[in-house]
Amino acid sequence: MSDTPALDPSPAHHPPAGGKGHSASNTALAVGAIGIVFGDIGTSPLYAFRETFVGRSTVQLDTAHVLGVISLIFWSMTLVVAIQYVTILMRADNKGQGGSLALVALISRSLSKSKYGWIAVLLGVFATSLFYGDSMITPAISVLSAVEGLTVVDPGFQRFVIPIALALLVFLFVLQKRGTAKVGALFAPVMIVYFTVIAALGTWQIIQTPTILWALNPYHAVNFFVLDGWFAFLALGSVVLAVTGSEALYSDMGHFGRGPMRLSWFGFVMPCLLLNYFGQGAMVIGLPAAEAAEAIQNPFFFLASEEYRLPLVILATVATFIASQAVISGAFSITQQAIQMGYIPRLNIRHTSETEGGQIYIPAVNWALMVAVIILVLTFQNSSNLANAYGIAVTGAVTIDTLLMAVLLVGVWKWKWWYAAPVVLVFLIVDGAYFAANLTKVPDGGWFPLLVGLIAFGLLTTWARGRKLMRERMSEVALPMEIFAKSAKNSALRVPGTAIFMASSTAGVPSALLHNIKHNKVLHERVVILTVDIADVPYVDPAERCEFTDMGDGFYRAVLHYGFMEETDVPEGLIRMDRCGGEFDMMHTSFFLSRQTLLASDKPGMPIWREKIFAWMLRNSASAMDFFKLPTNRVVELGSQVEI
């Protein structure tokens, strides 16, 4: 593990909040955000309103209940998405980046000395773990719900729904290795057309039945609970589907900046979504009872007249394809952050664009998601069944974000508790109610995202704990570098060239260096002990990338600093480091890596079953050679054994 990056909480200079120092105009970025960020929440009208009436909550289909459900959707979107995430949490950026891990890093810097800081860290890690369950269900339910629109065109298409959906999903995952650079250029125009069409369809129905506008009054949401009580509470589990994707808005903030994303949301996306939801409600209210009962089975597609339903199905399918692409890319980004912050072993990460560093592809994550999505489609068979599994991961993550927001307001922003308490209490009641309602789905499929989240949480915390224990064990036997340099300079033959020994710590002698002199009895003319420090901020100023210490007699200790969103390209960093005894010529430089074999022991650390899981993760982690972009023909690995 001595060649594994360490988390360094030291501050650094970074681009201004909003991401990677965006040079494009706010309008251009806002248009781009429509295509990449809002696909998840934008495709919710395909199933959210429908599931409230045909799902497990069995809500009566009449004017009072339709007004109540639409009112709940409106106020949920306003409170959870518009106010909590877009207005408040988007202010909580970590040098331009958002998401649970970035929020944890932001809080940790302020509460690093607090004895309760670890609770916030664990909550953030669990929210991240729940995202993996969400990233499995989103492609399955989105694509299935769109393809099911074919049955509205012709019921005979029913037997083709699952094969078509599976073919589209497999194609989506196969496409990932090619990257999104070229396809991404098409995303924004397609999604703009999609949002415009669904808004127009909804507007036409509202004009026909303007009674639906009474749903703007929160009285109807309250009256819904007065009328139905327990069934209204169960209906919250379906209503919340309208705000799924809200946590993704915060996570994707770094790609476009909060200004452009707010412009997209308030200026275009939110009005289009609300017009469509109100339009679906207006259509159902305006139809005779028998026709309304038929339309509620798929109200999104019934908004269009028969001749336009097939084009609407095609447009919706393309939109869900884009929405799925966005959540898969999000899984790649979150995995990269978790790797850099020390919660996941090194994985093979491929960059699919020469100009956009954020466009990455992680094969292991991609194929794992594909297998999970195929299993979900074959197991649940239709989007209504999947809706029972959907929502609990999202509401769990949103509730955790609310708790972290409470810590943020009081511990970081220094709000007075009597100001912070009412704000947090309102969101905690709303988010907690949605989470509680979704907990009733656990027996019907909600167990799946919870199981995925718990497994992911166990793996993430096991890896972080195991790394910490390994470093402690290795530091116990570490030899101070100053003593080693003085004793080794005259006891070993010096040979031409440069040797770089990768080390996770900036103190002590790497085990690879000790093994090299023990077995080979030689030292290179220039010996560099190199540590890669991953800071808990997204980007490090290139001017502060490198630092070094001249220890004399040809020995140097060097550090390369990277943010957790950056690619760790060690050769490129070394080329820019010309103060460490001269320039680095990769053809005359050898990289020495340590590879540890774990031995179970009676030392206090982790239970034996967690030690075995950690050992398995260590064996299957990607080579440091690939992770640090080291030249393949210049690397030497030396093994050792460590007890934890």
Side-chain angles (χ1 to χ4, degrees), residues 23-308:
S23 58
S25 68
N26 276 0
T27 303
L29 289 169
V31 170
I34 292 171
I36 301 297
V37 175
F38 296 103
D40 189 359
I41 195 169
T43 53
S44 297
L46 272 75
Y47 46 80
F49 179 69
R50 176 195 72 195
E51 287 304 314
T52 310
F53 292 95
V54 302
R56 55 199 293 276
S57 53
T58 61
V59 175
Q60 187 177 346
L61 189 61
D62 57 29
T63 300
H65 287 87
V66 170
L67 287 174
V69 169
I70 295 297
S71 185
L72 271 176
I73 289 175
F74 171 75
W75 287 105
S76 297
M77 197 173 290
T78 301
L79 288 172
V80 177
V81 186
I83 298 179
Q84 181 177 358
Y85 276 92
V86 179
T87 302
I88 297 179
L89 275 178
M90 278 192 181
R91 291 182 56 217
D93 68 286
N94 183 21
K95 305 303 179 183
Q97 297 296 319
S100 297
L101 285 180
L103 183 58
V104 164
L106 186 67
I107 292 173
S108 296
R109 286 203 300 274
S110 299
L111 303 179
S112 57
K113 297 181 181 180
S114 171
K115 62 180 180 179
Y116 299 111
W118 63 273
I119 298 178
V121 172
L122 286 183
L123 284 174
V125 172
F126 189 59
T128 301
S129 303
L130 288 174
F131 180 83
Y132 286 106
D134 183 32
S135 62
M136 294 173 184
I137 298 176
T138 295
I141 190 173
S142 297
V143 174
L144 258 181
S145 60
V147 177
E148 284 170 353
L150 291 172
T151 62
V152 177
V153 178
D154 185 345
F157 282 123
Q158 179 64 52
R159 65 182 185 275
F160 299 113
V161 168
I162 290 180
I164 292 174
L166 287 176
L168 287 171
L169 288 167
V170 170
F171 175 66
L172 174 65
F173 284 102
V174 171
L175 192 67
Q176 296 304 309
K177 62 182 178 182
R178 299 185 179 275
T180 59
K182 295 180 180 178
V183 183
L186 301 174
F187 283 6
V190 170
M191 292 307 295
I192 288 173
V193 170
Y194 168 78
F195 280 119
T196 303
V197 168
I198 67 172
L201 292 172
T203 301
W204 174 248
Q205 295 294 336
I206 294 171
I207 293 173
Q208 303 299 311
T209 315
T211 307
I212 194 65
L213 293 177
W214 287 110
L216 293 170
N217 188 338
Y219 160 79
H220 293 284
V222 176
N223 186 53
F224 182 31
F225 285 92
V226 173
L227 290 174
D228 277 23
W230 172 249
F231 289 108
F233 172 74
L234 291 178
L236 287 178
S238 299
V239 171
V240 77
L241 297 176
V243 298
T244 54
S246 55
E247 77 293 343
L249 305 185
Y250 181 40
S251 299
D252 289 334
M253 181 172 62
H255 293 289
F256 299 97
R258 62 170 168 256
M261 287 183 64
R262 284 173 174 170
L263 178 61
S264 297
W265 173 252
F266 288 112
F268 185 67
V269 176
M270 184 177 179
C272 290
L273 290 176
L274 289 176
L275 284 171
N276 188 264
Y277 280 119
F278 275 73
Q280 290 187 43
M283 178 190 65
V284 172
I285 290 176
L287 289 174
E291 294 182 25
E294 180 186 2
I296 199 63
Q297 300 301 316
N298 227 321
F300 178 86
F301 294 106
F302 270 91
L303 287 174
S305 55
E306 289 189 20
E307 62 269 25
Y308 293 112

